[in-house]
Amino acid sequence: MTATRLLPSSEAHDLIAMTREVCNERLRPIVDEMEAKAEFPRDIFAFLGDQGLLTLPYPEDVGGGGQPYEVYLQALEEIASAWMSVAVGVSVHSLTCNPIFAFGSDEQKARLLPEMLDGSKLGAYCLSEPDAGSDVAAISTRARREGDDYVLTGVKAWISHAGHADFYTTFARTSDDGPRGLSCFHVPAGTPGMEFAPPERKMGLDCDTVGQVIFDDARIPADHLIGAEGQGMTIALSALDAGRLGIAAAATGLAQAALDQAVAYAKERKAFGKPISEFQGLAFLLAEMEAAVTSARASYLHAARLKDAGKAMSKEASVAKMICTDAAMRVTTDAVQVLGGYGYTKDYPVERYMREAKVTQIFEGTNQIQRLVISRHLLK
């Protein structure tokens, strides 16, 4: 069932209609096969870039789509309802562009942003480490200054697009001054000294290739520093609010896909001589699933509209990330239940949806961290 959307302009309606067409014609026909093969869909990202769907929230004068966040996120939700791995990749790429856009020099913007925003290059966001996930201040990867270069040493973990991206937005320590010792760098693919571990063997999102990025005296020019030395924590946190909204919207799209499958199955499957949808116990379960999806969509749109209005929305982004991803886990699990034994087989996609939903409660800040952020906003 197509979600009813309240959009701010006729242009936005056309964009969502185009996104649905792309999903129906290019994504849905191949998603099952590609996820089974666990192949990174680089050509799909190139196609989405050509369609202008990789960088929707950035201004047109720098090469973006010029769309408000409430429109971008609804397009992202549409993509997630068709192929969650790709939606996560679109959100990640948008995240990787933010540091240059928001903190880069005029020269860096002129040199780097065009290819980052026209879809011809795909980015990766290198923040987490084996021993530093939610605790960003614990990052140990170092960047030491040597003449006109920085030399990076350390290991980044859980990096989407590792080994496939064209550039890596990387956070490293330039001093031992705790959170004030972090800096941000633009690291092009092919930089000598940058290597990749084998991809992680995950329970879901098999086309979202994730792995370690290893820096072994990887040398980059000093003008690849984004912002100033020591500004890395500010840059990381400013981007993460937007990233959390991306995951919230993607999780909502995943939940919508699971609900659609459950409703369609309940109308067709018969027991005791009538469709199982006519049994009140199951009908009420479907109603609860719909309420969860609708509530999730409302929570991320509220945060997006605050962002578009230039208002503070860090708390609301955490609320949306928590609400939407918890809803995705619950709705996908219930969808498996509605389909019964068939839901537990790979003949239907709901088992994949359930596996994909779990990680949404973990990445872009675990939902326990979101509760911490929300409570601090309330109590400060």
Side-chain angles (χ1 to χ4, degrees):
M1 182 179 68
T2 300
T4 301
R5 301 200 180 280
L6 183 63
L7 295 162
S9 66
S10 59
E11 178 189 8
H13 280 282
D14 292 342
L15 173 63
I16 296 300
M18 185 268 284
T19 304
R20 286 176 178 163
E21 182 178 350
V22 166
C23 290
N24 290 332
E25 294 183 359
R26 294 296 297 268
L27 304 189
R28 287 189 171 91
I30 64 173
V31 56
D32 292 334
E33 178 185 359
M34 292 291 287
E35 286 290 333
K37 293 180 179 178
E39 292 183 0
F40 184 75
R42 187 65 179 88
D43 59 332
I44 292 296
F45 288 112
F47 173 75
L48 293 179
D50 289 340
Q51 299 301 305
L53 292 175
L54 274 186
T55 52
L56 287 173
Y58 290 93
E60 289 180 305
D61 60 6
V62 294
Q67 293 299 314
Y69 241 76
E70 68 164 306
V71 175
Y72 157 61
L73 292 179
Q74 291 185 80
L76 188 63
E77 184 194 332
E78 292 286 344
I79 295 171
S81 72
W83 194 344
M84 184 63 171
S85 289
V86 171
V88 170
V90 172
S91 180
V92 167
H93 177 74
S94 182
L95 184 66
T96 65
C97 300
N98 187 75
I100 288 286
F101 171 73
F103 295 90
S105 66
D106 290 341
E107 186 277 330
Q108 286 175 325
K109 292 177 182 179
R111 173 164 51 92
L112 300 172
L113 270 184
E115 289 183 318
M116 293 166 69
L117 295 180
D118 69 6
S120 61
K121 289 195 174 181
L122 188 68
Y125 197 75
C126 296
L127 182 63
S128 295
E129 297 182 1
D131 296 317
S134 299
D135 185 6
V136 176
I139 284 175
S140 61
T141 295
R142 301 197 72 90
R144 67 180 187 272
R145 184 70 182 260
E146 289 189 359
D148 294 331
D149 297 329
Y150 282 97
V151 180
L152 277 63
T153 304
V155 178
K156 294 294 181 179
W158 313 111
I159 308 305
S160 290
H161 310 160
H164 297 280
D166 299 296
F167 64 91
Y168 296 79
T169 299
T170 302
F171 294 84
R173 184 164 296 285
T174 47
S175 81
D176 293 320
D177 189 16
R180 290 180 291 275
L182 297 178
S183 301
C184 183
F185 299 89
H186 178 88
V187 183
T191 295
M194 183 169 62
E195 300 175 349
F196 306 96
E200 302 290 349
R201 299 169 60 223
K202 313 191 304 300
M203 69 182 286
L205 294 179
D206 290 320
C207 288
D208 174 30
T209 302
V210 168
Q212 291 186 346
V213 180
I214 303 165
F215 297 102
D216 183 10
D217 285 346
R219 186 177 295 269
I220 58 173
D223 63 5
H224 283 42
L225 171 70
I226 302 171
E229 279 198 10
Q231 202 175 9
M233 178 66 83
T234 299
I235 294 173
L237 294 180
S238 73
L240 282 178
D241 280 341
R244 285 168 179 164
L245 287 182
I247 295 306
T252 303
L254 182 64
Q256 182 71 62
L259 172 61
D260 291 346
Q261 284 281 328
V263 169
Y265 183 85
K267 290 179 179 179
E268 296 174 1
R269 175 69 170 177
K270 291 185 177 181
F272 306 103
K274 60 181 179 180
I276 62 173
S277 60
E278 295 184 16
F279 292 93
Q280 189 180 71
L282 191 137
F284 279 12
L285 178 59
L286 294 174
E288 291 169 359
M289 295 163 69
E290 166 65 18
V293 174
T294 300
S295 299
R297 184 173 295 118
S299 72
Y300 86 66
L301 284 174
H302 173 59
R305 287 162 181 158
L306 287 175
K307 180 176 174 61
D308 289 333
K311 297 182 180 297
M313 42 66 74
S314 182
K315 172 173 65 71
E316 287 76 11
S318 286
V319 169
K321 198 274 181 180
M322 183 182 75
I323 292 295
C324 295
T325 59
D326 283 351
M329 191 72 250
R330 183 168 67 255
V331 170
T332 56
T333 302
D334 287 343
V336 172
Q337 191 71 22
V338 170
L339 271 68
Y342 289 112
Y344 199 67
T345 72
K346 295 185 184 296
D347 295 332
Y348 289 84
V350 291
E351 62 82 28
R352 170 164 58 83
Y353 297 160
M354 182 178 172
R355 290 185 288 106
E356 291 174 338
K358 183 61 212 174
V359 75
T360 68
Q361 296 176 304
I362 298 171
F363 58 17
E364 295 289 357
T366 67
N367 283 7
Q368 286 70 35
I369 289 294
Q370 306 312 321
R371 287 168 171 83
L372 179 63
V373 170
I374 294 163
S375 64
R376 284 180 174 174
H377 276 280
L378 290 174
L379 300 172
K380 69 180 180 180

